[in-house]
Structures are given as structure tokens and as C-alpha cells.
Amino acid sequence: MSTPTPDAGVRTAGPNDLPALGVVQALVWQEAYDGVVPPEVHAQFEPQAFAAAWRQALAEPPEGVHRLLVATAGGQVVGFAALGPSQDPDTGQATGELTAIGVHPQARRTGHGSRLLNAVVDTLTGAGADTLATWVLVPHEQTRAFLVGAGLAPDGAFRDRVVSPDGATAREVRLVASLADPEP
């Protein structure tokens, strides 16, 4: 006898998803940026603030292919991914960027991150992208290991992102992957 498993999937986010998405992103960001940003910035990682920012982005999306995806388990939002065209001046027009990805800490290691990343690749490929790029904070070894395991690799680019009002920075490295079909 097999044990039933909850429905798990990925879909485009809608306005009704935003309160739950805000909760997930707040938890993910609080964990990810603990010790990276000063306490006053960390304190601003609240569900309502994230939900409001996503509501604005959905109401007035920027130009180009921008999508907000959610991972679900039994109808509950447990993860998210945001994508759009790369804003890096050294990438081509056919480079898409994974701008954010996160899975609720209690829903990790159950395939949600992989489903989200696959949906990002499918969306970008369908929009004509031939390369996927993303930026990862240097101390985030687990996130980097997940993305490298999925086929992304560092391309040598890095940037120092300002993370506090006083100008403190955190280093990020860029990971990339080709989305083009390999030659037969």
C-alpha cells in the first residue's frame, strides 16, 4: 500500500498567492541574510512588505519577460522564483536571469527547488533565452551547491552589493548555464 503524497507543482503567481508568498520570502530572506545585513535592515524582512512589493510588480510588470512563479504543496505556497531578462551589461540579449528563488525551510529537500528551477528554464527557453544567469551570495554554500548541481557554473563575474544604509557590501558570484540544445 502506498502512502498518498500531497499535490506538488509550480505555477505563475497570482494576487491571492501574495500573502503566503510574503511569509515564505520573509522566512527565506531572514535566514539567508542573517549576519549579512545589519539588524535594522534584517528587521524589515516582513511578510507584508514582500507581499506589497510583489503586488506592485504584478500590477505594473517591467518590460520584457518577467515572471513570478510559486511552488505549491497541496495548494499551499511553499516556494517562489522570480525571473526576467538579465540586467548585466556584459550579457547578451538572450540571457535570462533567475532574480530570486526560495523554498520554505520546512518544505526543503522535497523537490520544490528543482521544480521551480525547471519551470524557470522552461519559461526562459520558451521566451527565446539561450543562457540562464543568477547571482548568489558568497557565504550561501547550500544554494550555490544546489544550483551547481543543477548545471550552473561560476563564470568568474562577481559584484559587491550594498546591503546597508552605511554602504556595507556583500559579495555575490554569478552562475550561468547554457539553455541551448547541445549539438547532436
Side-chain angles (χ1 to χ4, degrees):
M1 175 179 202
S2 66
T3 305
T5 57
D7 259 353
V10 173
R11 60 179 167 72
T12 301
N16 291 340
D17 296 317
L18 300 181
L21 176 58
V23 169
V24 173
Q25 187 173 7
L27 287 170
V28 170
W29 258 231
Q30 288 165 1
E31 178 185 85
Y33 288 94
D34 187 33
V36 175
V37 299
E40 64 272 15
V41 173
H42 196 269
Q44 295 175 22
F45 296 155
E46 296 181 349
Q48 299 83 358
F50 287 119
W54 287 122
R55 189 171 315 288
Q56 179 69 25
L58 289 180
E60 298 175 25
E63 240 181 82
V65 177
H66 289 268
R67 298 286 184 280
L68 176 59
L69 307 173
V70 291
T72 59
Q76 178 64 40
V77 172
V78 296
F80 67 98
L83 63 107
S86 175
Q87 301 301 304
D88 297 331
D90 65 335
T91 59
Q93 290 186 348
T95 299
E97 185 171 336
L98 170 64
T99 59
I101 189 168
V103 175
H104 191 288
Q106 294 177 348
R108 292 186 184 146
R109 302 204 181 277
T110 57
H112 297 297
S114 295
R115 280 188 286 281
L116 282 164
L117 191 55
N118 286 331
V120 166
V121 168
D122 290 346
T123 302
L124 290 173
T125 302
D130 62 13
T131 304
L132 168 63
T134 192
W135 291 91
V136 181
L137 284 166
V138 168
H140 290 173
E141 295 175 16
Q142 286 183 332
T143 302
R144 189 170 48 249
F146 164 72
L147 293 166
V148 167
L152 285 87
D155 70 351
F158 65 89
R159 65 184 181 192
D160 293 320
R161 181 180 294 271
V162 175
V163 294
S164 73
D166 68 0
T169 61
R171 175 136 308 171
E172 295 177 316
V173 295
R174 186 171 59 195
L175 304 177
V176 299
S178 172
L179 302 179
D181 289 330
E183 294 294 320

